[in-house]
Amino acid sequence: LLMKVINNPRRGLAGFGMVIVFIFILNKITPTSFITQEDQGYFTVEQEMPECSTVDRTRKVTDKAIAYIDPHKAVEYVQNVTGSSPRVGTNQGRTTLTVILKSWKERDMGVDEVMRDVQKEFKDYPEIRTFVSRPPVIPGLGSAGGVEMKLQARSDAKWEDLVAATDTFMYYANKSGIISNVSSSLQPEIPQLYFDVD
């Protein structure tokens, strides 16, 4: 190309300009992430009830959620595991729903659109926190995989200090805009009873 510019400046510059335009267009349409997101035909919904919620109370909310998701025009069926969550493990107040979508030929919506519909519905559920995520393209990487960190109470720090530090960290992490769906396995709200047995 450089030789064309030198030998025939008009034709060479025109070709050079075409290459620049092509690179610009290619840069705009090529996905910019290291691993591009794919519609794998399903996503997960994790529901978190208040601590010490009974499994019966959790099932009522879960059934209400399934009653909304299952008839959705893009959904094939919903798998439900009440009492378990990948974030905090086994707990009566947790539910994991795996939403299986119809074949790509049978739906005109992508997985992101369906997830947005589901998230809008859960804004009307004041009793739960909801985490909607799609599976990573490579297991362990992606928005569902995330990053794990541990906070440690040092020297004279008390339980209340650790709880306050965790709440503060989660507040600012969620506000940062860089990461989302920050959660903690710390469960300070669990009610406790003290029995002084005579």
Side-chain angles (χ1 to χ4, degrees), residues 120-178:
K120 285 178 192 172
E121 167 71 7
F122 288 133
K123 287 181 181 174
D124 298 328
Y125 290 54
E127 64 271 55
I128 60 169
R129 288 178 61 200
T130 305
F131 302 94
V132 180
S133 59
R134 64 193 305 175
V137 178
I138 297 175
L141 297 176
S143 61
V147 172
E148 183 178 319
M149 70 174 291
K150 297 185 181 184
L151 294 178
Q152 182 181 25
R154 306 292 296 266
S155 27
D156 295 333
K158 298 178 182 172
W159 168 253
E160 293 79 14
D161 299 328
L162 181 61
V163 171
T166 303
D167 289 344
T168 303
F169 174 79
M170 288 177 57
Y171 173 77
Y172 284 108
N174 278 314
K175 276 189 74 174
S176 70
I178 300 169

Side-chain angles (χ1 to χ4, degrees), residues 4-194:
K4 284 184 179 179
V5 172
I6 293 170
N7 293 337
N8 191 339
R10 284 188 182 175
R11 288 186 64 193
L13 287 175
F16 186 71
M18 294 283 289
V19 169
I20 295 296
V21 169
F22 178 74
I23 289 173
F24 179 77
I25 292 171
L26 194 62
N27 186 42
K28 288 292 182 187
I29 63 172
T30 304
T32 56
S33 62
F34 176 65
I35 301 173
T36 57
Q37 290 290 341
E38 292 180 1
D39 184 343
Q40 298 183 54
Y42 76 98
F43 63 93
T44 58
V45 178
E46 292 177 63
Q47 296 180 329
E48 186 178 303
M49 294 283 288
E51 298 302 333
C52 296
S53 297
T54 63
V55 73
D56 291 332
R57 183 180 173 196
T58 305
R59 277 197 183 119
K60 285 178 184 174
V61 177
T62 302
D63 290 345
K64 181 181 171 187
I66 292 173
Y68 172 78
I69 298 171
D70 206 31
H72 193 285
K73 63 179 183 178
V75 173
E76 186 73 33
Y77 61 92
V78 180
Q79 295 176 336
N80 171 21
V81 181
T82 301
S84 178
S85 167
R87 292 175 189 269
V88 292
T90 303
N91 185 316
Q92 290 189 33
R94 306 291 187 263
T95 297
T96 302
L97 303 175
T98 304
V99 181
I100 310 298
L101 303 179
K102 292 179 180 175
S103 167
W104 292 274
K105 295 176 184 177
E106 297 177 39
R107 57 185 161 99
D108 58 353
M109 301 177 74
V111 68
D112 289 328
E113 294 173 90
V114 182
M115 287 170 64
R116 279 193 292 272
D117 285 352
V118 170
Q119 284 173 324
K120 285 178 192 172
E121 167 71 7
F122 288 133
K123 287 181 181 174
D124 298 328
Y125 290 54
E127 64 271 55
I128 60 169
R129 288 178 61 200
T130 305
F131 302 94
V132 180
S133 59
R134 64 193 305 175
V137 178
I138 297 175
L141 297 176
S143 61
V147 172
E148 183 178 319
M149 70 174 291
K150 297 185 181 184
L151 294 178
Q152 182 181 25
R154 306 292 296 266
S155 27
D156 295 333
K158 298 178 182 172
W159 168 253
E160 293 79 14
D161 299 328
L162 181 61
V163 171
T166 303
D167 289 344
T168 303
F169 174 79
M170 288 177 57
Y171 173 77
Y172 284 108
N174 278 314
K175 276 189 74 174
S176 70
I178 300 169
I179 53 178
S180 63
N181 292 335
V182 180
S183 64
S184 169
S185 59
L186 186 69
Q187 300 172 344
E189 304 92 2
I190 295 178
Q192 298 182 10
L193 298 176
Y194 175 74

